[in-house]
């Protein structure tokens, strides 16, 4: 029988007095097996052996990688990755505010708050507490393995589970400061992250109930004589219903700009076809102009003692014609400019646009669905609105050549005068009819459902105010702080002391199992009910002690300085 045999095997020796017991260390696993061999004499030619193998001891190898807190490492990796992605999701330069988002700008503030709430919950409830415990473990390990050691009373009073008053008066101030700082940081971040986002203007398409006015109609709520189109021509309207470009003048529906205050810049398009008319100006050679016998409507205005004259004519083929010139003493007019206008009445989709939030919307373009050409009826026009527009055309003509009114060239002035006529053309009763189908995908039936006036529903596309979410400067700084916290955690992982001490009661029972019971009892006097503080001047150290007869070690607290057996299995 070998000496120093494990006491647990004595029972086997008493039971099997004729048993040979051998303790054989296994060099690779550093565990041991118990081989019990019993020889039983039997009949000649027969011998029987029995082998019983004991349960291997539970061991932990003390090494840098073996003692790593992989949960904290995983949480740190996720935290840094999520914070970097949030920072990278910011559009434009990081040094300029505001911070619109590349992805998810259409989500609400509550949605983004819930998303980063997971990030900050990971930081506050998992990572911070584990980092706090890791720092305390490494700090105490370094103290207990150094030459000076640590008083047993100070070690016990510094535990986080000790009464707060005990920690403040008799514990380790540095550990207490770390614990308080962790609480403050966790509380601060748990509240402040809720202010990481704010409402923002984003590029989007929204449906609005179009406050539109058909061509030739009075403004909504208006009780005067002037249609919206005429007011836009003379400059007293919002100029949303008329546009002149490249010799083409379009008169269409108007809309109330106050109904689209949310659109800062962009386009507005009717979802369903609306009536409008398009007029094309052509300027013939004055030598070929023959207006003899044409029905005409003459406007005369005196300027600088010179009679300026503009004639509105109806040609035999029904075209609208207009001439600008000067009337002599005999009443004859010599035209200096002449224009022929062909007008087509259409129904289709109308679009308006503005450059920025400070400019008015202008009629931009139309997309024809069905068009028809109707002749110009000068008599009907004159009887209905000719008298109304006379004064405005005279004002325009009287400014001819007047620098104080802004000099217009002859062609532009004539086009402007004709625009008064076009803006007041009556809409035909038998307007072409087309199928009422949405133009844009955004104008689908599901999008227009619930709108009060589906036929006048508009699609606003562009920069929509308060329609999305952007990151605040405060939220951006918080994400940077999370990255810094993750880097600090990596630094803590790399700190050389091993985290050998925790606050698990089982570990402390094991560490103090062979400690001087008398000295420990004096230190623990008055603490049995969880109050007071540990006392005494006994200095302790942390070291590895070899288990006799077994090739393993265990950690112990002792009054003698020692070393921790790194790279060895401890039980």
């Amino acid at each position: 029988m070998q000496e120093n045999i494990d006491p647990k095997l004595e029972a086997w020796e008493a039971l099997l007095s004729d048993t040979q017991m051998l303790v054989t260390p296994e060099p690779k696993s550093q565990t041991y097996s118990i081989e019990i061999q019993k020889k039983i004499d039997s009949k000649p030619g027969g011998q029987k052996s029995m082998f019983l193998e004991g349960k291997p001891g539970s061991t932990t190898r003390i090494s840098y990688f073996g003692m790593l807190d992989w949960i904290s490492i995983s949480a740190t990796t996720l935290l840094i990755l999520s914070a970097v992605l949030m920072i990278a999701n910011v559009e434009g330069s990081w040094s300029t505010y505001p911070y619109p988002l590349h992805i998810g700008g259409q989500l609400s503030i509550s949605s983004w708050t819930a998303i980063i709430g997971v990030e900050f919950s990971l930081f506050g409830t998992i990572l911070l507490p584990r980092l706090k415990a890791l720092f305390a473990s490494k700090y105490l390990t370094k103290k207990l393995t150094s030459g000076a050691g640590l008083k047993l009373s100070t070690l016990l009073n510094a535990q986080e589970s000790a009464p707060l008053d005990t920690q403040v008066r008799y514990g380790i101030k540095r550990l207490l400061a770390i614990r308080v700082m962790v609480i403050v940081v966790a509380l601060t971040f748990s509240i402040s992250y809720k202010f990481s986002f704010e409402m923002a203007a984003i590029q989007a398409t929204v449906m609005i109930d179009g406050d539109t006015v058909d061509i030739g109609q009075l403004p909504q709520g208006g009780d005067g004589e002037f249609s919206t189109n005429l007011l836009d021509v003379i400059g007293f309207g919002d100029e949303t219903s008329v546009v002149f470009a490249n010799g083409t003048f379009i008169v269409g529906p108007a809309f109330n700009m106050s109904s689209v205050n949310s659109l800062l810049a962009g386009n507005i398009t009717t979802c369903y076809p609306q009536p409008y008319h398009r007029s094309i100006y052509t300027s013939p050679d004055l030598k070929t102009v023959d207006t003899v016998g044409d029905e005409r409507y003459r406007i005369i205005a005196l300027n600088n003692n010179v009679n300026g004259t503009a004639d509105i004519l109806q040609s035999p083929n029904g075209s609208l014609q207009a001439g600008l010139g000067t009337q002599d003493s005999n009443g004859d007019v010599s035209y200096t400019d002449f224009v022929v206008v062909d007008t087509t009445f259409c129904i289709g989709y109308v679009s308006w646009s503005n450059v920025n939030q400070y400019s008015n919307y202008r009629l931009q373009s139309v997309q024809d669905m069905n068009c028809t050409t109707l002749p110009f009826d000068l008599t009907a026009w004159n009887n209905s609105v000719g008298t109304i527009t006379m004064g405005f055309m005279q004002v325009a003509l009287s400014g001819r050549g007047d620098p104080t009114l802004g000099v217009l060239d002859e062609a532009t002035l004539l086009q402007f005068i004709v625009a008064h006529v076009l803006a007041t053309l009556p809409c035909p009763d038998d307007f072409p009819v087309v199928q009422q189908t949405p133009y844009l995908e955004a104008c689908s039936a599901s999008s227009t459902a619930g709108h009060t006036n589906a036929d006048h529903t508009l699609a606003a596309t562009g920069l929509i105010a308060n329609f999305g979410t952007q990151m605040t400067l405060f939220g951006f700084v918080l994400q940077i702080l999370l990255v810094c916290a993750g880097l600090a955690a990596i630094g803590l992982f790399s700190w050389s002391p091993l985290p050998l001490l925790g606050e698990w009661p089982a570990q402390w029972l094991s560490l103090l199992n062979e400690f001087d019971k008398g000295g420990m009892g004096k230190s623990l006097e008055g603490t049995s009910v969880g109050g007071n503080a540990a006392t005494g001047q006994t200095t302790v150290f942390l070291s590895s002690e070899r288990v006799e007869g077994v090739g393993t070690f265990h950690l112990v607290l002792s009054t003698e300085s020692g070393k921790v057996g790194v790279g060895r299995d401890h039980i």
Side-chain angles (χ1 to χ4, degrees):
M1 181 68 63
Q2 295 184 2
E3 296 181 359
N4 299 326
I5 192 168
D6 192 327
K8 296 180 181 179
L9 302 180
E10 294 180 355
W12 288 98
E13 183 178 9
L15 179 63
L16 304 173
S17 59
D18 59 340
T19 300
Q20 180 182 1
M21 305 182 67
L22 301 174
V23 179
T24 307
E26 295 179 2
K28 290 185 179 181
S29 65
Q30 296 296 324
T31 60
Y32 61 91
S33 63
I34 306 169
E35 181 183 357
I36 305 176
Q37 183 177 2
K38 181 177 181 181
K39 297 181 179 180
I40 304 177
D41 295 331
S42 58
K43 295 180 181 180
Q47 187 177 20
K48 188 175 182 181
S49 298
M50 180 176 68
F51 297 89
L52 298 178
E53 190 169 312
K55 182 179 179 181
S58 299
T59 63
T60 300
R61 178 171 291 271
I62 294 183
S63 64
Y64 176 77
F65 289 101
M67 302 300 294
L68 284 177
D69 185 352
W70 293 105
I71 295 179
S72 297
I73 293 176
S74 301
T76 300
T77 303
L78 289 175
L79 184 70
I80 294 178
L81 181 61
S82 62
V84 169
L85 290 177
M86 287 299 302
I87 295 173
N89 196 32
V90 171
E91 291 185 4
S93 173
W94 297 350
S95 60
T96 58
Y97 178 79
Y99 300 114
L101 303 176
H102 282 292
I103 301 174
Q106 76 282 1
L107 298 178
S108 64
I109 292 179
S110 57
S111 297
W112 269 115
T113 302
I115 292 173
I116 67 169
V118 177
E119 180 184 33
F120 283 89
S121 295
L122 174 68
F123 176 67
T125 63
I126 298 179
L127 185 58
L128 270 183
R130 298 187 76 91
L131 292 180
K132 174 187 62 177
L134 180 63
F135 176 82
S137 179
K138 290 196 170 207
Y139 180 83
L140 292 177
T141 300
K142 182 178 181 181
K143 287 289 186 180
L144 291 170
T145 55
S146 65
L150 196 63
K151 291 181 180 179
L152 178 60
S153 58
T154 303
L155 176 62
L156 297 175
N157 293 331
Q159 300 301 305
E160 188 174 12
S161 55
L164 180 60
D165 178 68
T166 299
Q167 295 184 56
V168 173
R169 298 175 60 187
Y170 305 106
I172 299 176
K173 301 300 187 291
R174 182 173 299 181
L175 292 182
L176 181 61
I178 291 295
R179 290 163 184 155
V180 172
M181 184 181 69
V182 166
I183 294 175
V184 172
V185 170
L187 288 176
T188 302
F189 275 50
S190 66
I191 297 173
S192 58
Y193 85 88
K194 296 179 176 64
F195 302 95
S196 294
F197 297 95
E198 63 185 0
M199 298 296 292
I202 65 170
Q203 295 288 335
T205 298
V206 297
M207 308 303 301
I208 59 175
D209 290 326
D211 191 7
T212 58
V213 180
D214 292 336
I215 59 173
Q217 300 298 313
L218 298 178
Q220 289 190 358
D223 55 0
E225 299 178 287
F226 310 127
S227 68
T228 301
N229 305 122
L230 180 58
L231 292 175
D232 284 348
V233 167
I234 63 179
F236 289 103
D238 294 329
E239 302 180 20
T240 61
S241 66
V242 296
V243 62
F244 182 83
N246 301 322
T248 302
F249 186 73
I250 299 176
V251 178
F255 74 93
N256 184 359
M257 290 194 300
S258 62
S259 63
V260 289
N261 287 334
S262 59
L263 181 61
L264 302 182
N267 300 324
I268 297 175
T269 304
T270 57
C271 285
Y272 293 93
Q274 301 290 322
Y276 55 88
H277 59 76
R278 179 192 297 107
S279 301
I280 299 177
Y281 289 69
T282 57
S283 298
D285 188 347
L286 291 177
K287 297 179 181 179
T288 64
V289 173
D290 181 10
T291 61
V292 177
D294 289 352
E295 185 178 355
R296 69 190 63 211
Y297 179 86
R298 176 160 291 177
I299 305 107
I300 301 175
L302 184 64
N303 185 281
N304 296 327
N305 295 321
V306 176
N307 284 326
T309 303
D311 287 341
I312 306 298
L313 307 101
Q314 176 187 335
S315 67
N317 62 1
S319 295
L320 167 63
Q321 298 178 339
L324 179 64
T326 303
Q327 187 177 25
D328 58 21
S329 57
N330 296 325
D332 297 325
V333 177
S334 298
Y335 294 126
T336 56
D337 211 316
F338 198 84
V339 66
V340 178
V341 181
D342 294 308
T343 301
T344 302
F345 290 86
C346 301
I347 187 169
Y349 302 101
V350 183
S351 296
W352 299 266
S353 67
N354 72 339
V355 178
N356 54 58
Q357 65 186 97
Y358 305 107
S359 62
N360 288 341
Y361 284 89
R362 300 298 178 92
L363 188 65
Q364 180 188 36
S365 63
V366 292
Q367 180 174 335
D368 301 338
M369 295 294 292
N370 197 353
C371 295
T372 184
T373 300
L374 297 178
F376 174 61
D377 189 338
L378 179 60
T379 301
W381 172 80
N382 186 28
N383 292 335
S384 60
V385 294
T387 303
I388 297 175
T389 57
M390 167 70 79
F392 296 115
M393 290 189 287
Q394 283 182 330
V395 170
L397 185 59
S398 65
R400 182 184 184 189
D402 188 346
T404 61
L405 300 177
V407 179
L408 298 177
D409 60 79
E410 297 289 291
T412 303
L413 177 60
L414 182 58
Q415 292 170 357
F416 180 54
I417 292 174
V418 173
H420 290 71
V421 180
L422 298 175
T424 54
L425 289 179
C427 186
D429 296 331
D430 55 346
F431 213 86
V433 178
V434 297
Q435 184 179 0
Q436 297 289 299
T437 56
Y439 170 45
L440 300 174
E441 182 179 355
C443 298
S444 61
S446 59
S447 298
T448 57
H451 289 272
T452 57
N453 190 358
D455 289 344
H456 285 183
T457 301
L458 305 176
T461 303
L463 192 62
I464 310 297
N466 297 327
F467 195 70
T469 303
Q470 67 183 12
M471 186 180 293
T472 62
L473 177 61
F474 188 62
F476 189 78
V477 172
L478 285 180
Q479 295 299 323
I480 294 178
L481 291 178
L482 287 183
V483 175
C484 295
L487 296 177
I490 294 176
L492 180 59
F493 299 146
S494 305
W495 189 24
S496 58
L498 294 175
L500 298 179
L501 289 179
E503 293 206 5
W504 188 31
Q507 182 187 20
W508 285 94
L509 289 174
S510 177
L511 291 175
L512 297 172
N513 184 42
E514 299 183 10
F515 194 74
D516 178 22
K517 300 300 187 294
M520 184 172 60
K522 293 179 181 180
S523 298
L524 300 180
E525 288 181 357
T527 62
S528 63
V529 294
N532 300 318
T535 59
Q537 300 297 320
T538 304
T539 300
V540 295
F541 301 87
L542 183 66
S543 61
S544 295
E545 183 176 289
R546 181 184 293 273
V547 179
E548 295 182 0
V550 182
T552 54
F553 298 79
H554 62 182
L555 288 179
V556 294
L557 283 176
S558 65
T559 57
E560 297 180 359
S561 178
K563 293 184 178 180
V564 174
V566 179
R568 298 182 181 274
D569 287 333
H570 286 64
I571 60 174

